[in-house]
Structure formats: structure tokens, C-alpha cells
């Protein structure tokens, strides 16, 4: 009996996993990206077994729920001759980290069509394990604000946000952060499923004459906003001014290739907070008309 207990102790390793066995660790939460991002779908072996000579297969279901190949690595080679054409030259593994059990997939130039569930499957001898990671993709742009009309009672401002996905929410605020009630908000959906939102608001003169249109994808934590400064008596009517502020929200840093599985601190994904931008065509212009 004592010999049997000793044998069991030898066969077991910390964490309750039998020697030679492994589990795959993915992400319980969806991975969020916007069109054009490069992102990482996390997947790692636990315990961290060397995966250099294992088979790593990434797939996703098509519309008929049939798995299509996204990326295949086996015994030290990438074997993508049967890879789905839409992923050609856009996928890679962190081959330098395979020895640590990191089999995460890096996906470049994310498209709306990439949204969905991805399966990470690893084969080792007679063992085959898999985990599923969900990718959520959004599309955003900088809203454009303009003056539509000038009345004795105030100005009518319009905010237009083109090519968003999924459907965004729009709100207006004055310089102190007070929410303004929109006169009307119209949302149109094009044949590709992208949304254009137009919102109008009538505003009165304030201490700063600064107003903000904010467009949000709350589920994806993405925000873009544009501020417009309406010239008043304290501003030269011949020199209209505008101010644009972009708040990207949670977004994978596009400057450095990154691994999202047990990375050292210097390689961790970064969150952009309060980043300013001045995208071409994103500014808002004031007409010559202004508050009297």
C-alpha cells in the first residue's frame, strides 16, 4: 500500500496535473479591437511545456459552422498552404516563446470580418486540448461638427459620425460637462452593415462657447469626440477656431509587437488614455456666423 502511494506521488506534479499532461489557458473575456489594429489572441500551455515540436492549430467556424484554417504550426514549421485566403500574411506565432508554452496568435490589420470565435488546439502525443477565444471588432472615425444655422435664440450644431460598427451612441455636452438634449438624432445603416449617425442640437451662448459631440461604442470601450469653439464677442469673427480631441479608450498599442501571455512588464499591451489626435479631415469648422 505504501509503495502504491509513493508511485502516485511521483506521477503527480503541482497543480494536480499528471506528469506529461497539460491544459490550455485562453481568455475568459472577449479580445477587443478596432479595424486596422494588430491584436493577440492569447493561448498558452499550463504547465509551460515546450511547444516547439507540437502541433498548434488555430481555426474559426465559417457561416456553415465548418472550421476554417487560420494558422497551422507543426514540428517546427508553419504549414499554411491550406490557410483561409482572408488570413494570408496576417497571422503569426511567437516562435521565440514556444519553448515557454506560448502558442498565442498574432493577427495583423484586423478587419470587421475577423470578428467571431477562434479555437486554439494543441496536439501532444495522444493528447489533444483546445480553448476558444472570442474576438470583438469595432469600426470608428472622428466625428465632424459644423454650424447649421444661426438664430436669435441660439445656434444649431450638427455632428456627423460616419462608418461606425456596431451602432454607436451620440451625446452632446457643454464645456462644464453638462449633458445637452439633442433636437434629433438619425442613424443610417449601409449595405455593408456600417452606421452613420447625424445628431443636431440647439445651443445657447455660454462662458466659453465650447461644445462637444461624443460618440461611443460602450460595449467595446471605444470613444471619439470633437470639440467646437464657436466665436463670440471675445473671439475675432474673421478667425474661426476649432479644437479636436480624440479619446481612443482601451486599444492595443500599434507601435510594438506584443505577446499577451505571461509577458514581462516591458512588453505588456498599453492602454491609451486621453490621447489627442488630429486626423485629416477631422477638424470642425465654424461659419462666419456666431453668437452676437
Amino acid at each position: 500500500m505504501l509503495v502504491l502511494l509513493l508511485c502516485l506521488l511521483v506521477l503527480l506534479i503541482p497543480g494536480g496535473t499528471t506528469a506529461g499532461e497539460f491544459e490550455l489557458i485562453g481568455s475568459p473575456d472577449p479580445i477587443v479591437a478596432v479595424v486596422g489594429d494588430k491584436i493577440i489572441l492569447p493561448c498558452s500551455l499550463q504547465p509551460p511545456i515546450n511547444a516547439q515540436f507540437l502541433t498548434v492549430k488555430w481555426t474559426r467556424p465559417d457561416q456553415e459552422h465548418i472550421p476554417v484554417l487560420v494558422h497551422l504550426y507543426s514540428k517546427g514549421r508553419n504549414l499554411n498552404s491550406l490557410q483561409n485566403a482572408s488570413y494570408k500574411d496576417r497571422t503569426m506565432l511567437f516562435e521565440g516563446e514556444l519553448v515557454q508554452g506560448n502558442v498565442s496568435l498574432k493577427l495583423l490589420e484586423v478587419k470587421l470580418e475577423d470578428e467571431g470565435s477562434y479555437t486554439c488546439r494543441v496536439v501532444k502525443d495522444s493528447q489533444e486540448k483546445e480553448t476558444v477565444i472570442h474576438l470583438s471588432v469595432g469600426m470608428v472615425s472622428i466625428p465632424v461638427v459644423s454650424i447649421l444655422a444661426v438664430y436669435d435664440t441660439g445656434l444649431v450644431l450638427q455632428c456627423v459620425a460616419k462608418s461606425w460598427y456596431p451602432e454607436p451612441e451620440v451625446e452632446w455636452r457643454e464645456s462644464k460637462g453638462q449633458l445637452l438634449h439633442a433636437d434629433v438624432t438619425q442613424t443610417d445603416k449601409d449595405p455593408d452593415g456600417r452606421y452613420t449617425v447625424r445628431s443636431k442640437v440647439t445651443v445657447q451662448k455660454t462662458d466659453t462657447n465650447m461644445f462637444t459631440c461624443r460618440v461611443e461604442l460602450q460595449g467595446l470601450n471605444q470613444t471619439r469626440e470633437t470639440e467646437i469653439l464657436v466665436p463670440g464677442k471675445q473671439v475675432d469673427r474673421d478667425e474661426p477656431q476649432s479644437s479636436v480631441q480624440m479619446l481612443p479608450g482601451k486599444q492595443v498599442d500599434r507601435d510594438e509587437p506584443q505577446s499577451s501571455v505571461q509577458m514581462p512588464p516591458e512588453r505588456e499591451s498599453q492602454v491609451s488614455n486621453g490621447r489627442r489626435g488630429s486626423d485629416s479631415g477631422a477638424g470642425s469648422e465654424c461659419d462666419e456666423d456666431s453668437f452676437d
Side-chain angles (χ1 to χ4, degrees):
M1 184 66 178
L2 180 60
V3 174
L4 179 60
L5 289 174
L6 289 174
C7 290
L8 289 173
L9 289 174
V10 170
L11 289 173
L12 294 176
I13 62 176
T17 303
T18 304
E21 290 189 355
F22 67 94
E23 298 294 333
L24 284 181
I25 308 299
S27 172
D29 300 316
I31 304 301
V32 175
V34 296
V35 171
D37 273 350
K38 55 185 178 184
I39 55 93
I40 296 164
L41 300 178
C43 186
S44 63
L45 283 73
Q46 186 62 40
I49 300 172
N50 184 353
Q52 285 181 309
F53 300 102
L54 305 184
T55 296
V56 180
K57 188 176 185 180
W58 281 88
T59 60
R60 64 168 298 186
D62 62 13
Q63 294 181 348
E64 285 73 36
H65 305 290
I66 299 174
V68 298
L69 182 62
V70 175
H71 193 96
L72 177 62
Y73 175 94
S74 184
K75 298 179 181 179
R77 299 174 57 196
N78 291 296
L79 305 173
N80 287 320
S81 60
L82 299 179
Q83 181 186 48
N84 185 277
S86 66
Y87 293 97
K88 181 176 174 58
D89 299 325
R90 294 199 299 129
T91 63
M92 63 182 67
L93 301 182
F94 294 90
E95 296 188 28
E97 298 183 19
L98 289 172
V99 66
Q100 302 166 3
N102 181 7
V103 293
S104 302
L105 181 74
K106 184 174 182 179
L107 180 61
L108 307 176
E109 294 296 325
V110 171
K111 307 174 182 178
L112 281 180
E113 296 77 15
D114 293 335
E115 183 171 83
S117 297
Y118 291 76
T119 298
C120 171
R121 180 177 290 105
V122 175
V123 179
K124 178 181 181 293
D125 300 327
S126 60
Q127 297 183 70
E128 183 172 336
K129 299 292 177 69
E130 65 180 42
T131 187
V132 177
I133 299 96
H134 185 78
L135 174 63
S136 296
V137 181
M139 189 170 187
V140 300
S141 64
I142 301 297
V144 176
V145 179
S146 59
I147 298 175
L148 285 187
V150 180
Y151 301 107
D152 293 338
T153 55
L155 294 178
V156 178
L157 303 179
Q158 177 176 258
C159 178
V160 180
K162 296 182 178 181
S163 296
W164 280 66
Y165 178 86
E167 184 176 355
E169 297 182 5
V170 180
E171 66 179 27
W172 290 92
R173 291 186 181 272
E174 52 96 55
S175 59
K176 295 181 180 179
Q178 181 177 351
L179 187 65
L180 302 175
H181 179 69
D183 300 334
V184 61
T185 298
Q186 176 183 336
T187 302
D188 298 310
K189 185 178 181 180
D190 68 20
D192 295 325
R194 301 172 185 177
Y195 294 87
T196 293
V197 181
R198 294 175 174 83
S199 182
K200 300 176 184 178
V201 66
T202 301
V203 298
Q204 310 299 321
K205 182 176 180 179
T206 67
D207 292 340
T208 62
N209 291 340
M210 184 78 74
F211 304 94
T212 300
C213 173
R214 179 177 298 166
V215 188
E216 297 181 278
L217 293 177
Q218 293 187 349
L220 300 183
N221 194 25
Q222 292 291 324
T223 301
R224 300 292 186 274
E225 64 180 29
T226 295
E227 295 176 327
I228 182 170
L229 174 62
V230 180
K233 290 183 179 180
Q234 73 279 24
V235 180
D236 188 341
R237 293 174 63 93
D238 295 328
E239 297 181 3
Q241 302 182 15
S242 64
S243 173
V244 177
Q245 183 180 42
M246 183 172 69
L247 303 175
K250 187 177 182 182
Q251 186 169 334
V252 178
D253 193 335
R254 303 184 185 183
D255 297 328
E256 297 291 338
Q258 319 215 358
S259 165
S260 62
V261 179
Q262 299 178 345
M263 296 181 295
E266 64 272 17
R267 296 187 60 201
E268 291 181 352
S269 296
Q270 313 217 338
V271 176
S272 303
N273 290 315
R275 181 181 298 173
R276 290 182 176 268
S278 56
D279 294 45
S280 177
S284 53
E285 298 182 357
C286 298
D287 297 337
E288 291 183 0
D289 296 315
S290 63
F291 292 114
D292 291 329

